[in-house]
């Protein structure tokens, strides 16, 4: 019975966090090992369903880079470059959309449904959720877009009826064409648009590291100012840049806290949301308040 | 981090139970040590609030025998007997009501509110929640009543707005007079009237014992038939009779499961609802399904 | 038939008042003889139910001083004094709460229900209706509190479903402890918080008297300025001070009219609300408008 | 003050009736002196508004025979007869509709609005409220119709938003043409269709008389059987026939009570609804219950 | 099949207009030949019903001058004049109201119902829809009024339940008396009060003509400034003045576009709303936007 | 103007059909040339949006065979056969899902959005819309499924908020795996589940032909019996079998009419729904009623 009492104790320790986030939206950027590893992705699905059942409205945004590359290779599509930059041709865009919307999104939907949730997959084109403009750059990079505006109506409709939205980062262009958008950026814009209480980014590192080569050098908390300083500096690894940009954008847009956490830990987002253990890096306007 | 992962694992193991009871009502009969001991009663309040925040509608019904006796003694009121049976005089009834409604009920309300809930205390007289008739017996026992009917409208109103009802076992007589009603019986009738998914009775024993003198002889599950047989037999301790009657009445009235559990274990009701550990005795129409 | 026509005429003369207050809240401070006398208290209950059925939302706040003292005496509790001021000890507070919440409140609830209403008793602790802080004073007066804030949500919930709230003046302290609060003051704060159209105080005098010793010297109307002047003066009887303070607080807080009326007259509040006869003293920001 | 207390007493005696009819619909057939006399018709309007404000949904149906005849005379239209029966020609129908819908209906609407109600006039053609078929008879009587069906949707819409419907007895024929329908009959059909609690017919006699020539011979109550017997007999005055038919039809259709009362008494319908004084004749399925 | 495809093409060309006006209110001033000619008035009814079924909320306001004069002549009522101006006596007002409310309004209601709509006729007196004051003028013109205020609540109630309102231009005076109001003016005030997207005035001319004697000189569009200039000038025919005033008032009051169109063309309002063909004259604050 | 009047006439002729289907659901099975040809697919999108704006709830189900085959060829996947039957391997299923959900579905969504609709793409896996079981057959055909049950909740949620659902025929297997389901069959099951008023199947033939080689031999209407007879016979072309099965299943399931029409005609579904021209073959339980 001692064991059972301890279990009860652990459950009850989640109560303050359940109370704190009841009725809030939490945006989870899904990706990396957490989306690939068989056990980890089941754990993420459970975390999402757990959030839903304790009164949180989770929104999942996923990426999918490696899977797109693999499919392009299978189809024998050669990458194109303009002035040294990779270009998203119409053909590439079509493949990306098929992989993101037609394959990865449905896998996540299935995993959530298997855990007892009711997931509905969306792309940014559905109900014009993510209106997108062509990203400006010196070279013509083709169908690479950035978020123009979010029309979160369909998210509200689905959440109000108990459905969990899973969003693929494909944007609706002005003429109905598809644009590839960075999933970290899309997650931040969605978090801002729905007034999320948190943005959680599942990555393959422990968080932001003071020394990118030293996993022990984790920075637990960053103010917005500190985060912006870091972004401008040289100590930030290239892969971390869009994730840090995403966190900064979210906090600038009014999301109280953005977290870059280690998706390789099972139930990482559950730990982040429901326990008092710091996990990964938290960026917030005012880090003095915990949670 | 290992510890944290284990905590996450324990949390996630509650998910199936959270899903199962989302939207259901669970009636908790509060009493015994769980209502007296300082730590235990805080734990019960937390369990109730936890249920509320994961989507369950808890209704608390409390007893209070010893406190009523103590107050009567302080007031110098002599117990009256008719043919050897204790009588509830008008004076006794007034004291009982003051202690139950004015003292114990408010303590439970305060404890729940302290844990972040929004509790509202009710007696059976408020909104005519429990209409009561005089209990028939050979001797005139005074203001001892039994439930005539439940008008659960006020419970629905409060639950729909997020309030947690705490009910004192004082019934409304036909002329507006107060009646003392057995709290175990009141809990069962309320559970039936609101279509509860569970009735949990917090007692000071491990459950129903095959041998009342041997705490190791716990009977884990009873079918309705078995429970009725036990009630008619001689092996049941006197104190257990109203609790067993209550469980039988609830299950007969359509409540799928009634539990008589050991309120001396911290978070006993949480363990009962959210873990796979059997605790106490479960009476159900068909015990083959677990939960 | 002549008699019947006259009765119809009297009924129809209530129509403008029924129209005026349809949908409004009226707070009735119940106390004095109106709460003690058998016939009078039935009449008050009927008045409350009448208000409810013609579309008014009545809220009842009751006091109970003499009953508390009587119970303390029966329990042999000696009054305590600090620097000559009466102290509310923890023991006294417990008795006060039992009498107010467990006895008087339930009597009023029963009387209203007997007349066809659906009353629900509340204390300031239920749903944290009245958050209270310790009253500041030179001497430590114990559990004597003043209103910190009102959370009127539960009143709205109950009224919207057709229930009539009856409130005991026991406040919720910051640590969940109970505080004794003056019922006149509580009624004023509740009237302000719910945006009441009227506060009616049932007293044992004809109203505010120019000469406290002369019942013929009734002051029919007072502006807020006049009332404040009177409060600062010496012509006001001591018992009238909290009632006048209550009326002033209500009007300052936006309640259009506060009435101090003679609860010894049967159906005094009905007369006040539904006839053109002035009864007692009306305090209003602008007394030029009648009603 | 004694007078005021008596007034309060009279008001409070209306409470049981207010409770009884709260939320019910009462159909008032308006006509006779009550619709012509300046003071009486104001009194009727007040009664209607009073009903509305105490939670009743009144529906007014009016007649208008003499006014139609007067207008026809002014227009020099000669009455037509077929086999000795009066015929409603297209021209006559047009005049009847103008007088009923364009003149009398608007007067009643104005009177109700002047008393603080919000009346909306309707004919049976609006929203196809009263679908009508040509009355079958040996001779062709032209545009004389009988009720085919009631579509009470518009009455529900208006009542739910607080409007008081005033209905002219003009029916919608199958091809959109207008039909003259008997106002007593229309009132009965409307009462049945809306599930009215009462049908009140304002007439120029004290009620149904055992001896039509003796106003003292009022029959206070009639069972449905007795009323049907009376209708088939010879003791019933011709003018009373449609009124008795209307009452019988209403009660047969499920309206608990139909009243034929003396509209010459000011506030007759108020007296009928809100006092215990019998007024006129009540026809009910089971007259043993009063009210 | 070629013909069918063309029909489909025409249907689909209405789509942008259906989208544009979905959920909007359009006020149609009905009058002239469109209200008299048998085929035209059926076509107007169909247009109204068509608007309703594609998601527009139509409100119809009708006039009726010639019919009133004809009835007055039949009744032998001599027109009165004061200082050369025609006077609306009480007798005239009664006739006008009977003809407008009791005759013309019901005809339009019937026609709409025959096409599958659910029309409800209203005057400005119903629910105090159009509160009216006596028109100021040097001579006493009797019951000639101008709009004081609109209480559009009943229009909202009816539209929300799918009913189509048909309004007669009879206003409610301060004492409940009736006033004759110009139907063009009433239509404009109603359009402003309900926030209409369009006001369409069905007339017997092609629109506003540069040369009143030359039907070919149609002015297709007018800015508000141009319209105001025209009103002050001499080139505007007398009959057109109230129609132009109405359009100006509507646009000044926020209605984006007011149209004066040729009601002699079958389905003129349908053409105006659902095709790209200019028809009649459009007055708008900014005519650069079409539609 | 003559042309304009004719256009108005054509519009108004659609009114009875708009009235008839207001509030109904119509399921459109999209496929064949109508889904491939640039102009035709824009026309279908417009028809869908037109239906939406006139109050119909359209649900689109699409197929996509040729596109899946083309992608498989590009990926060098060899078709597998068991006992001569084509097998859907896991690899094939993945490609099919990517093409259907990630490519074709999004194109249709974009086209509808471009016409002013708000489309949301769904697969049968989203919200477990289409639960699927493995199709039974002698040979193991792999991931070929048939509909087990429809959970139409998400369709109701989306339609109630004004979104147009576009469904890909990919089913959710019992373990969360994907199954390929025949789009014609899926459309029929969805039509039955939502209680559709019509099922329209866009094909590349004029309808069901008495002689499959003679396009002039169109059968306009079939009773359910006749359709079942035809299905069992030899005169039905192989490609038509699933379409006829779909129509029969829909009508058997309570859909009043199922239509197999020629999607090569622009706006074919608009013609079917909004004109009196027969187009293609209509299967209905009772063909005597037209429409």
């Amino acid at each position: 019975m001692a064991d059972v009492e301890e279990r009860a104790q652990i459950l009850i320790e989640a109560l303050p966090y359940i109370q704190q986030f009841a009725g809030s939206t939490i945006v989870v950027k899904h990706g990396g090992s957490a989306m690939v590893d068989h056990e980890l992705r089941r754990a993420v699905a459970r975390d999402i369903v757990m959030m839903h059942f304790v009164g949180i409205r989770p929104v999942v945004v996923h990426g999918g880079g490696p899977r797109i590359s693999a499919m392009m290779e299978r189809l024998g599509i050669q990458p194109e470059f303009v002035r040294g930059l990779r270009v998203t041709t119409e053909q590439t865009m079509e493949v990306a959309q098929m992989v993101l919307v037609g394959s990865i999104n449905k896998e996540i939907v299935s995993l959530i449904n298997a855990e007892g949730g009711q997931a509905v997959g969306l792309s940014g084109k559905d109900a014009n959720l993510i209106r997108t403009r062509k990203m400006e750059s010196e070279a013509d990079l083709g169908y690479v877009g950035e978020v123009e505006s979010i029309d979160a109506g369909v998210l509200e409709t689905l959440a109000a009826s108990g459905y969990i939205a899973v969003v693929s980062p494909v944007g609706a262009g002005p003429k109905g064409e598809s644009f590839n958008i960075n999933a970290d950026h899309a997650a931040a814009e969605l978090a801002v648009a729905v007034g999320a209480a948190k943005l959680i980014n599942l990555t393959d590192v422990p968080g932001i590291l003071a020394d990118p080569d030293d996993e022990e050098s984790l920075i637990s908390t960053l103010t917005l100012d500190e985060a912006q300083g870091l972004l401008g500096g040289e100590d930030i690894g290239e892969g971390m840049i869009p994730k840090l940009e995403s966190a900064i954008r979210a906090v600038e847009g009014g999301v109280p806290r953005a977290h870059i956490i280690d998706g390789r830990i099972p139930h990482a987002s559950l730990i982040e949301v429901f326990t008092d253990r710091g996990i990964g890096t938290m960026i917030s306007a005012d880090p003095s308040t915990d949670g």
Side-chain angles (χ1 to χ4, degrees), chain A:
Chain A
M1 193 54 74
D3 167 56
V4 169
E5 288 182 37
E6 199 187 314
R7 295 164 72 93
Q9 190 57 39
I10 287 167
L11 276 175
I12 213 72
E13 282 172 14
L15 178 54
Y17 303 101
I18 291 174
Q19 292 177 320
Q20 182 178 357
F21 294 110
S24 311
T25 299
I26 292 181
V27 174
V28 177
K29 163 65 202 331
H30 198 0
S33 305
M35 206 169 77
V36 174
D37 178 85
H38 185 65
E39 284 307 313
L40 286 175
R41 64 190 206 169
R42 280 191 59 206
V44 171
R46 284 194 181 169
D47 294 358
I48 297 296
V49 174
M50 184 75 169
M51 288 184 201
H52 169 75
F53 272 97
V54 300
I56 296 169
R57 294 178 162 196
V59 172
V60 182
V61 183
H62 67 85
R67 295 269 291 270
I68 298 168
S69 303
M71 180 57 70
M72 285 179 64
E73 198 167 320
R74 280 177 64 189
L75 286 164
I77 301 173
Q78 297 301 324
E80 289 188 33
F81 293 86
V82 172
R83 299 193 192 178
L85 292 170
R86 181 187 285 261
V87 176
T88 299
T89 61
E90 191 169 348
Q91 201 183 29
T92 305
M93 186 63 236
E94 193 199 346
V95 173
Q97 183 173 298
M98 282 198 305
V99 171
L100 290 166
V101 175
S103 192
I104 296 173
N105 188 295
K106 292 308 113 180
E107 286 167 21
I108 299 170
V109 162
S110 278
L111 286 161
I112 291 174
N113 290 354
E115 301 301 329
Q118 292 258 344
V120 172
L122 296 171
S123 71
K125 304 186 81 173
D126 294 289
N128 286 315
L129 175 60
I130 309 175
R131 289 187 192 271
T132 310
R133 59 171 172 265
K134 187 170 174 145
M135 182 176 282
E136 290 182 21
S137 80
E138 286 186 31
D140 183 347
L141 299 179
Y143 292 91
V144 176
E146 56 191 10
V147 176
E148 172 84 32
S149 67
I150 302 286
D151 181 351
V154 72
L155 297 181
E156 172 59 30
T157 292
L158 290 172
S161 291
Y163 297 105
I164 299 168
V166 177
V167 183
S168 300
V170 173
K175 293 172 190 158
E177 68 275 43
S178 300
F179 277 97
N180 202 0
I181 45 180
N182 179 282
D184 294 315
H185 292 168
E189 296 294 343
L190 285 165
V192 170
V194 298
K198 268 185 195 293
L199 168 62
I200 296 175
N201 202 326
L202 297 176
T203 70
D204 281 354
V205 290
I208 296 177
L209 304 175
D211 172 356
D213 297 329
D214 177 8
E215 293 223 343
E216 301 296 306
S217 67
L218 177 69
I219 303 171
S220 291
T221 63
L222 283 172
T223 63
L224 193 50
D225 282 352
E226 290 166 353
Q228 286 160 335
L230 205 60
L231 190 64
E234 294 180 358
D235 295 337
I236 186 90
E238 192 167 342
M240 188 52 71
I241 288 176
K243 295 173 195 316
L244 187 54
E245 285 174 345
S246 164
I248 289 169
R249 167 63 186 126
V251 175
E252 284 177 348
V255 177
R257 289 181 192 85
H259 302 264
I260 295 168
I261 67 175
D262 191 341
R264 297 167 305 184
I265 301 170
H267 302 296
S269 52
L270 204 68
I271 294 167
E272 204 304 297
V273 175
F274 294 116
T275 76
D276 54 4
R277 306 305 160 97
I279 179 170
T281 302
M282 175 177 82
I283 296 93
S284 66
D286 174 5
S288 64
T289 53
D290 64 326

